[in-house]
Amino acid sequence: MHEERPDESVGLCDRCLKELYRGRGEFYEVDIHARVDSSPPILDSPNALSLEEIEAEWGKVIQQLESTPRVDAENQVESRRRLLMCSPCFQVWIDEPSGQN
């Protein structure tokens, strides 16, 4: 089993590439978990599709999924990311996570 030692490098800041070390209180681990909206589609619009049109649309979706690599299809439904950030980069990021400063 790998034993963590204080002052051991854990990697680089994902924003500025500064090397980060354990035990110094100088970095944050950020876990991002994103999921697609799982609400059922609203089908009661005034432009409702006929059964044949719905079947044709489903056929297109199935054909598209069959040609999409599995990992890409899974990432369209659920995705996780882990970021390491030094304290200064984290403070900038947490105030404006979309980077629209």
Side-chain angles (χ1 to χ4, degrees):
M1 185 166 122
H2 177 70
E3 184 181 319
E4 293 179 1
R5 298 183 314 264
D7 215 32
E8 176 183 6
S9 174
V10 293
L12 303 176
C13 173
D14 285 311
R15 286 180 55 100
C16 72
L17 302 178
K18 174 185 175 184
E19 191 160 16
L20 304 172
Y21 295 92
R22 291 193 188 286
R24 296 183 182 176
E26 67 181 12
F27 70 92
Y28 288 81
E29 291 181 56
V30 179
D31 292 311
I32 299 172
H33 181 198
R35 289 177 289 200
V36 72
D37 174 13
S38 60
S39 305
I42 298 170
L43 299 175
D44 60 350
S45 70
N47 300 325
L49 300 175
S50 69
L51 182 57
E52 293 79 22
E53 292 170 317
I54 291 172
E55 288 175 350
E57 288 299 314
W58 272 115
K60 289 177 190 176
V61 169
I62 291 169
Q63 186 177 26
Q64 185 179 20
L65 278 174
E66 288 173 341
S67 65
T68 302
R70 180 179 176 176
V71 71
D72 291 345
E74 289 172 353
N75 283 337
Q76 290 177 18
V77 175
E78 184 172 30
S79 184
R80 291 180 182 263
R81 298 288 185 269
R82 178 177 172 260
L83 305 173
L84 291 175
M85 283 188 244
C86 66
S87 293
C89 285
F90 176 79
Q91 294 306 319
V92 170
W93 177 83
I94 198 68
D95 289 337
E96 193 66 49
S98 65
Q100 300 296 316
N101 300 9

